[in-house]
mmCIF file of all heavy atoms in Angstrom:
data_model
loop_
_atom_site.group_PDB
_atom_site.id
_atom_site.type_symbol
_atom_site.label_atom_id
_atom_site.label_comp_id
_atom_site.label_asym_id
_atom_site.label_seq_id
_atom_site.Cartn_x
_atom_site.Cartn_y
_atom_site.Cartn_z
ATOM 1 N N GLN E 6 93.216 100.349 119.836
ATOM 2 C CA GLN E 6 91.812 100.202 120.254
ATOM 3 C C GLN E 6 91.728 100.176 121.785
ATOM 4 O O GLN E 6 92.607 99.636 122.456
ATOM 5 C CB GLN E 6 91.206 98.906 119.711
ATOM 6 C CG GLN E 6 91.020 98.926 118.205
ATOM 7 C CD GLN E 6 90.227 97.732 117.727
ATOM 8 O OE1 GLN E 6 90.751 96.872 117.012
ATOM 9 N NE2 GLN E 6 88.967 97.668 118.134
ATOM 10 N N SER E 7 90.647 100.758 122.284
ATOM 11 C CA SER E 7 90.420 100.710 123.728
ATOM 12 C C SER E 7 88.934 100.671 124.027
ATOM 13 O O SER E 7 88.120 101.185 123.227
ATOM 14 C CB SER E 7 91.057 101.937 124.393
ATOM 15 O OG SER E 7 90.486 103.130 123.906
ATOM 16 N N PRO E 8 88.520 100.032 125.116
ATOM 17 C CA PRO E 8 89.370 99.223 125.984
ATOM 18 C C PRO E 8 89.720 97.898 125.306
ATOM 19 O O PRO E 8 89.058 97.495 124.364
ATOM 20 C CB PRO E 8 88.484 99.004 127.206
ATOM 21 C CG PRO E 8 87.092 98.991 126.640
ATOM 22 C CD PRO E 8 87.106 100.009 125.530
ATOM 23 N N SER E 9 90.712 97.218 125.802
ATOM 24 C CA SER E 9 91.046 95.912 125.239
ATOM 25 C C SER E 9 90.041 94.858 125.707
ATOM 26 O O SER E 9 89.759 93.900 124.988
ATOM 27 C CB SER E 9 92.458 95.495 125.629
ATOM 28 O OG SER E 9 92.617 95.528 127.036
ATOM 29 N N ASN E 10 89.506 95.059 126.892
ATOM 30 C CA ASN E 10 88.478 94.175 127.439
ATOM 31 C C ASN E 10 87.408 94.993 128.128
ATOM 32 O O ASN E 10 87.725 95.953 128.819
ATOM 33 C CB ASN E 10 89.067 93.203 128.469
ATOM 34 C CG ASN E 10 89.717 92.008 127.817
ATOM 35 O OD1 ASN E 10 89.034 91.129 127.315
ATOM 36 N ND2 ASN E 10 91.025 91.997 127.807
ATOM 37 N N LYS E 11 86.154 94.595 127.911
ATOM 38 C CA LYS E 11 85.044 95.289 128.544
ATOM 39 C C LYS E 11 83.999 94.260 128.944
ATOM 40 O O LYS E 11 83.526 93.496 128.101
ATOM 41 C CB LYS E 11 84.432 96.308 127.580
ATOM 42 C CG LYS E 11 83.199 97.026 128.099
ATOM 43 C CD LYS E 11 83.537 98.009 129.191
ATOM 44 C CE LYS E 11 82.301 98.781 129.640
ATOM 45 N NZ LYS E 11 82.639 99.760 130.733
ATOM 46 N N VAL E 12 83.681 94.256 130.221
ATOM 47 C CA VAL E 12 82.600 93.404 130.712
ATOM 48 C C VAL E 12 81.473 94.315 131.159
ATOM 49 O O VAL E 12 81.707 95.260 131.923
ATOM 50 C CB VAL E 12 83.065 92.516 131.887
ATOM 51 C CG1 VAL E 12 81.905 91.645 132.376
ATOM 52 C CG2 VAL E 12 84.236 91.641 131.463
ATOM 53 N N THR E 13 80.278 94.056 130.680
ATOM 54 C CA THR E 13 79.159 94.920 131.014
ATOM 55 C C THR E 13 77.924 94.083 131.288
ATOM 56 O O THR E 13 77.865 92.897 130.954
ATOM 57 C CB THR E 13 78.885 95.916 129.869
ATOM 58 O OG1 THR E 13 77.944 96.904 130.292
ATOM 59 C CG2 THR E 13 78.310 95.204 128.645
ATOM 60 N N GLU E 14 76.957 94.719 131.896
ATOM 61 C CA GLU E 14 75.694 94.039 132.160
ATOM 62 C C GLU E 14 74.723 94.274 131.017
ATOM 63 O O GLU E 14 74.725 95.342 130.387
ATOM 64 C CB GLU E 14 75.104 94.555 133.467
ATOM 65 C CG GLU E 14 75.911 94.194 134.698
ATOM 66 C CD GLU E 14 75.276 94.739 135.957
ATOM 67 O OE1 GLU E 14 74.359 95.562 135.862
ATOM 68 O OE2 GLU E 14 75.729 94.331 137.055
ATOM 69 N N LYS E 15 73.908 93.289 130.788
ATOM 70 C CA LYS E 15 72.871 93.406 129.760
ATOM 71 C C LYS E 15 72.062 94.675 129.969
ATOM 72 O O LYS E 15 71.667 95.005 131.092
ATOM 73 C CB LYS E 15 71.965 92.180 129.835
ATOM 74 C CG LYS E 15 70.812 92.176 128.847
ATOM 75 C CD LYS E 15 69.963 90.917 129.032
ATOM 76 C CE LYS E 15 68.720 90.969 128.162
ATOM 77 N NZ LYS E 15 67.883 89.761 128.342
ATOM 78 N N GLY E 16 71.847 95.410 128.871
ATOM 79 C CA GLY E 16 71.059 96.632 128.937
ATOM 80 C C GLY E 16 71.878 97.909 129.060
ATOM 81 O O GLY E 16 71.356 99.004 128.831
ATOM 82 N N LYS E 17 73.159 97.770 129.399
ATOM 83 C CA LYS E 17 74.022 98.943 129.503
ATOM 84 C C LYS E 17 74.530 99.343 128.124
ATOM 85 O O LYS E 17 74.565 98.548 127.192
ATOM 86 C CB LYS E 17 75.220 98.645 130.411
ATOM 87 C CG LYS E 17 74.849 98.250 131.831
ATOM 88 C CD LYS E 17 74.446 99.443 132.654
ATOM 89 C CE LYS E 17 74.295 99.040 134.122
ATOM 90 N NZ LYS E 17 73.860 100.195 134.950
ATOM 91 N N ASP E 18 74.942 100.611 128.015
ATOM 92 C CA ASP E 18 75.562 101.097 126.786
ATOM 93 C C ASP E 18 77.080 100.985 126.902
ATOM 94 O O ASP E 18 77.639 101.135 127.991
ATOM 95 C CB ASP E 18 75.201 102.564 126.557
ATOM 96 C CG ASP E 18 73.713 102.795 126.363
ATOM 97 O OD1 ASP E 18 72.956 101.806 126.234
ATOM 98 O OD2 ASP E 18 73.300 103.970 126.338
ATOM 99 N N VAL E 19 77.740 100.732 125.761
ATOM 100 C CA VAL E 19 79.200 100.698 125.743
ATOM 101 C C VAL E 19 79.738 101.506 124.573
ATOM 102 O O VAL E 19 79.064 101.634 123.540
ATOM 103 C CB VAL E 19 79.760 99.255 125.665
ATOM 104 C CG1 VAL E 19 79.405 98.470 126.894
ATOM 105 C CG2 VAL E 19 79.295 98.564 124.407
ATOM 106 N N GLU E 20 80.922 102.036 124.779
ATOM 107 C CA GLU E 20 81.623 102.753 123.706
ATOM 108 C C GLU E 20 82.993 102.118 123.502
ATOM 109 O O GLU E 20 83.729 101.902 124.463
ATOM 110 C CB GLU E 20 81.791 104.229 124.070
ATOM 111 C CG GLU E 20 80.528 105.039 123.955
ATOM 112 C CD GLU E 20 80.799 106.537 124.096
ATOM 113 O OE1 GLU E 20 81.946 106.914 124.439
ATOM 114 O OE2 GLU E 20 79.867 107.315 123.864
ATOM 115 N N LEU E 21 83.310 101.846 122.257
ATOM 116 C CA LEU E 21 84.598 101.283 121.892
ATOM 117 C C LEU E 21 85.309 102.282 120.997
ATOM 118 O O LEU E 21 84.707 102.832 120.071
ATOM 119 C CB LEU E 21 84.407 99.944 121.170
ATOM 120 C CG LEU E 21 83.534 98.904 121.892
ATOM 121 C CD1 LEU E 21 83.361 97.668 121.013
ATOM 122 C CD2 LEU E 21 84.122 98.537 123.231
ATOM 123 N N ARG E 22 86.594 102.452 121.272
ATOM 124 C CA ARG E 22 87.334 103.500 120.574
ATOM 125 C C ARG E 22 88.397 102.920 119.664
ATOM 126 O O ARG E 22 89.021 101.901 119.986
ATOM 127 C CB ARG E 22 87.994 104.420 121.605
ATOM 128 C CG ARG E 22 88.903 105.499 121.026
ATOM 129 C CD ARG E 22 89.668 106.221 122.127
ATOM 130 N NE ARG E 22 90.752 107.034 121.594
ATOM 131 C CZ ARG E 22 90.706 108.357 121.507
ATOM 132 N NH1 ARG E 22 89.639 109.024 121.935
ATOM 133 N NH2 ARG E 22 91.732 109.030 121.012
ATOM 134 N N CYS E 23 88.590 103.585 118.525
ATOM 135 C CA CYS E 23 89.625 103.178 117.581
ATOM 136 C C CYS E 23 90.419 104.406 117.148
ATOM 137 O O CYS E 23 89.835 105.397 116.685
ATOM 138 C CB CYS E 23 89.001 102.511 116.366
ATOM 139 S SG CYS E 23 90.197 102.141 115.046
ATOM 140 N N ASP E 24 91.733 104.300 117.273
ATOM 141 C CA ASP E 24 92.630 105.358 116.825
ATOM 142 C C ASP E 24 93.430 104.798 115.651
ATOM 143 O O ASP E 24 94.323 103.958 115.849
ATOM 144 C CB ASP E 24 93.549 105.770 117.971
ATOM 145 C CG ASP E 24 94.169 107.130 117.748
ATOM 146 O OD1 ASP E 24 94.138 107.613 116.591
ATOM 147 O OD2 ASP E 24 94.696 107.716 118.708
ATOM 148 N N PRO E 25 93.112 105.213 114.426
ATOM 149 C CA PRO E 25 93.773 104.598 113.262
ATOM 150 C C PRO E 25 95.197 105.097 113.080
ATOM 151 O O PRO E 25 95.648 106.015 113.776
ATOM 152 C CB PRO E 25 92.885 105.053 112.103
ATOM 153 C CG PRO E 25 92.374 106.392 112.540
ATOM 154 C CD PRO E 25 92.172 106.258 114.039
ATOM 155 N N ILE E 26 95.882 104.515 112.143
ATOM 156 C CA ILE E 26 97.220 104.968 111.796
ATOM 157 C C ILE E 26 97.119 106.365 111.188
ATOM 158 O O ILE E 26 96.245 106.625 110.356
ATOM 159 C CB ILE E 26 97.890 103.982 110.819
ATOM 160 C CG1 ILE E 26 98.127 102.637 111.528
ATOM 161 C CG2 ILE E 26 99.191 104.537 110.277
ATOM 162 C CD1 ILE E 26 98.619 101.533 110.616
ATOM 163 N N SER E 27 97.992 107.237 111.613
ATOM 164 C CA SER E 27 97.966 108.611 111.143
ATOM 165 C C SER E 27 98.052 108.671 109.625
ATOM 166 O O SER E 27 98.908 108.033 109.014
ATOM 167 C CB SER E 27 99.144 109.383 111.757
ATOM 168 O OG SER E 27 99.163 110.710 111.283
ATOM 169 N N GLY E 28 97.129 109.438 109.036
ATOM 170 C CA GLY E 28 97.137 109.609 107.592
ATOM 171 C C GLY E 28 96.268 108.618 106.836
ATOM 172 O O GLY E 28 96.030 108.779 105.636
ATOM 173 N N HIS E 29 95.787 107.596 107.522
ATOM 174 C CA HIS E 29 94.907 106.634 106.865
ATOM 175 C C HIS E 29 93.499 107.224 106.753
ATOM 176 O O HIS E 29 92.893 107.614 107.745
ATOM 177 C CB HIS E 29 94.856 105.321 107.653
ATOM 178 C CG HIS E 29 96.046 104.456 107.418
ATOM 179 N ND1 HIS E 29 96.077 103.119 107.767
ATOM 180 C CD2 HIS E 29 97.248 104.725 106.850
ATOM 181 C CE1 HIS E 29 97.243 102.604 107.424
ATOM 182 N NE2 HIS E 29 97.975 103.562 106.882
#
Side-chain angles (χ1 to χ4, degrees):
Chain E
Q6 291 189 246
S7 61
S9 55
N10 278 287
K11 176 71 176 180
V12 180
T13 190
E14 293 180 348
K15 178 181 174 181
K17 300 283 189 182
D18 297 351
V19 296
E20 285 190 352
L21 307 176
R22 175 188 167 105
C23 173
D24 199 344
I26 294 173
S27 178
H29 281 195

